[in-house]
Every structure is written in C-alpha cells, then in structure tokens.
Amino acid sequence: MNRKVMLGCVLAIGTAHGAQAAETVPIADPEPVGYVRICDAYGAGFYYLPGTETCLKIGGYLRYEIGAGDLFGADLDGDGRGDTYYKRARAALKVDARSETELGTLRGYMHLNFQNDIDSFGTGETMEIESAIIELGGLRIGVHDSLFITFVNYAGYVSKDDVIGYGPFATQQIAYTYSSENGFTAAVSLETGYDPFTIDSYMPHVVAGLSYTQPWGGIAVVAAYDAVVEEWSGKLRLDATINDRISAFGMVGLKSEGSRPYSEFYGIWGGKWAVWGGASITTSDKASVNFQLSYDEDENFAAIANVAYQVVPNLTVTPEIGFYDNFAADDADMIGGFVRVEMSF
C-alpha cells in the first residue's frame, strides 16, 4: 500500500511538471539596435529620420545681452536716446529638413525666436517667426528676410550693423534663385512687405539680384521696386578675401529721386545714397576683431566695433561698442555698448 502511494505521488509530480513545461512561453531574441544614421549630404549635423530618406538638423542658440548708453540703452521716455541699460534673453530654435526629389532638393526650414527683454520697444516677452520656408530646387515660398538684404549678405561683421538701415527684414515672399557652378547667381523675389508697407493691390514688391563669387571674394548687385510708394532702391557690394585672416567689404546704396527715408520698404537710409564698409580680422584661433563704418547723404554717421572671443567651443562672448552722430544737427551724437553671451548648438 505504501509503495502504491509513493508511486502515485511520483507520477503526479511528473505530470504536473510536464504540464507546466508545456505552458512556458519562449522569450524572443532581442531586436538589433537601430542606431541613427548620419546624413553628410548637406553638411555637418544632419541625420536621417528613421525609416525615411529625409535628413534633419536641429540647432539654435541661447543668447543674453546687456547694453547701456545713449545708442544701445533702453529708450524709456521716447526721446530717441537710451536712458538706462537694456537686457535681452533669447532662445532661438532652428529646424532644417531636406530630401532629394526628381525636381531637386526639397527643404523645409524654420527659425523661431523667443525673447524676454527690456529695450526701446518696452518690456515683455515675445515670440517671432524669423523664417518659415519651403524650398524645392531654387524655388522658395514663405516668410524670410527680404532678398534685398540676404542677397548681399546683410551688411558687415558686427552685430548692430543696421544703425544706418540697409533694408527690411522678414517678409512673406515667393522667390527663385539660380546658381551656376562657375560662381554666378541670379535671383528674383515677389514680396508682400509689412505695415505700413504691405502691398495694397495685386502688384507685389519686386526684388532682383545678380552676383559673382570666387575665392578672392565677390561682387553682388540687387535692386528693389516698392509697389506701394512706386519707387526703387538698389545696392552694390564688393567683398575681398585679403588672406586667410583678413576679409573686408564695401557697399553703396542708391534710391530714386522721389524716395524719402522711412517712407518706403527698401531704401530706409537717409537721403538718396548711403555707404557701408568694414573688415574682420582673425587674431587667434579663438578671437576676431570686427568693425564697420557707415554714412548717408543726410549726414548720419555710425561706427561700430567688437571683439568676438570663443571661451570654449559653442560659447562666444562679444563686447561691442558703437558711436552715432548726425553732422547736420547739434548735440545729436550718441555712444553705447553691449556684451553678448551666446551658446550655440
């Protein structure tokens, strides 16, 4: 009797173990890790979006500025002069997505700025779309700085290069650019403008440019027609690469006879003409000295200089000083400066 009980127990244990083994779910082998693929077709920083042939680059910067003086300080009482220091904190986000198609490179690009500041416009927080464009081949549509300033690469090498203005910034546009392999570039843009220069009919503002670039530098000319005031403006720029440490530029702007300063979209300098010039000198692997002089027919004069110093990679400190005077007016001179700290990524 005891033997039968013992045999029954052994059989029961064996049966239960077999049933448990039959119910065990096998564990699948882990999938191989899919690392991000680098996309080097468009330069550094791009990578492929998983599962697509679209290359993406995310970047931007964090910036903090403190300015003071008549020229750069905050104009709190509205008299045109700085009364105290200004402070600005900015976070900029840039997203660049590209892919190749049978019609050329398809690109989507946006640049957003988020700011907290106190300056001549008051105090508060703002968010602005500096750029939001779609490009296919040479065609570009969306919001971007006007071709009137981008085609000649803005002005100089300093931050406050527009004390004497050289044109408008962000505007809605439809533009086309053709670039040849021998250095020639041609472009045209139909632009909307912004208040109070927003177009008021089916006729847009029109900008056209032609440039030639070589290792020694380049030359560029751009012209614009303001459809609201029905006047034109133009600029001619020459760049020179003197050596691997020194580069310089000169630019002249002209307007039609009926133009007046601040009454049109493009030629916003005083008088019929204006000139800008400057240079950038690399003094070491970490530092460069930059300056710019500008003058217009209404005797407005500005001189700006800075030193850009790279503390560590991606972190640059730039102290900048500036002087402005209108030689035709008494007691019109202003001086000021600011320090910019910028971390890029």
Side-chain angles (χ1 to χ4, degrees):
M1 188 70 179
N2 291 338
R3 289 182 196 172
K4 293 181 180 180
V5 172
M6 290 179 63
L7 181 59
C9 291
V10 170
L11 291 175
I13 293 174
T15 302
H17 177 72
Q20 184 178 10
E23 295 173 358
T24 302
V25 178
I27 300 176
D29 293 333
E31 294 290 334
V33 177
Y35 293 102
V36 173
R37 290 188 299 153
I38 301 299
C39 175
D40 55 8
Y42 309 111
F46 283 90
Y47 61 90
Y48 285 101
L49 286 173
T52 75
E53 293 302 315
T54 298
C55 297
L56 182 69
K57 180 178 181 179
I58 299 177
Y61 60 82
L62 298 174
R63 175 187 296 172
Y64 189 66
E65 292 179 352
I66 299 178
D70 293 342
L71 187 57
F72 296 142
D75 179 16
L76 299 181
D77 57 12
D79 64 354
R81 290 175 172 268
D83 303 303
T84 182
Y85 60 82
Y86 87 91
K87 295 182 178 181
R88 169 169 293 168
R90 172 185 287 183
L93 175 64
K94 302 177 184 180
V95 179
D96 194 342
R98 307 188 198 187
S99 61
E100 290 303 310
T101 75
E102 64 274 16
L103 297 179
T105 301
L106 174 62
R107 182 192 185 206
Y109 175 77
M110 72 175 186
H111 178 169
L112 306 179
N113 291 328
F114 304 87
Q115 291 186 171
N116 180 290
D117 56 24
I118 173 171
D119 59 17
S120 59
F121 299 101
T123 61
E125 296 182 346
T126 59
M127 190 281 285
E128 64 177 4
I129 300 176
E130 184 166 313
S131 184
I133 57 174
I134 298 172
E135 293 181 338
L136 179 60
L139 180 66
R140 178 175 69 241
I141 59 174
V143 176
H144 197 57
D145 285 346
S146 170
L147 187 71
F148 193 64
I149 61 173
T150 60
F151 196 77
V152 293
N153 197 25
Y154 299 85
Y157 310 100
V158 296
S159 300
K160 302 294 185 181
D161 61 354
D162 61 344
V163 175
I164 293 180
Y166 50 79
F169 289 87
T171 176
Q172 292 194 23
Q173 60 189 257
I174 301 173
Y176 183 81
T177 300
Y178 169 78
S179 299
S180 67
E181 295 181 356
N182 58 7
F184 281 102
T185 300
V188 63
S189 179
L190 307 179
E191 302 182 351
T192 303
Y194 46 74
D195 289 338
F197 310 108
T198 305
I199 56 175
D200 53 7
S201 69
Y202 290 109
M203 178 64 188
H205 303 310
V206 182
V207 186
L210 184 66
S211 69
Y212 179 64
T213 304
Q214 290 295 308
W216 54 262
I219 185 170
V221 60
V222 64
Y225 175 75
D226 186 322
V228 175
V229 300
E230 299 182 344
E231 301 290 348
W232 66 267
S233 303
K235 289 181 294 187
L236 173 67
R237 173 170 175 145
L238 177 65
D239 287 274
T241 303
I242 299 173
N243 54 43
D244 60 349
R245 289 184 173 269
I246 303 175
S247 57
F249 87 99
M251 184 168 68
V252 59
L254 297 172
K255 295 191 294 186
S256 56
E257 288 297 323
S259 298
R260 301 188 309 277
Y262 313 113
S263 64
E264 63 176 271
F265 190 52
Y266 294 103
I268 63 175
W269 54 85
K272 300 297 183 293
W273 56 265
V275 292
W276 301 260
S280 178
I281 305 169
T282 301
T283 58
S284 70
D285 293 339
K286 287 182 171 288
S288 64
V289 177
N290 311 281
F291 67 88
Q292 174 180 300
L293 305 175
S294 52
Y295 185 71
D296 64 26
E297 187 186 29
D298 285 353
E299 300 186 50
N300 295 298
F301 171 78
I304 311 293
N306 71 28
V307 176
Y309 181 77
Q310 184 185 76
V311 181
V312 295
N314 301 325
L315 180 63
T316 302
V317 176
T318 306
E320 184 166 297
I321 59 173
F323 172 79
Y324 164 83
D325 197 3
N326 183 283
F327 297 145
D330 295 331
D331 194 28
D333 59 299
M334 293 187 287
I335 192 170
F338 71 94
V339 176
R340 170 180 291 177
V341 180
E342 182 171 300
M343 179 244 178
S344 60
F345 59 91

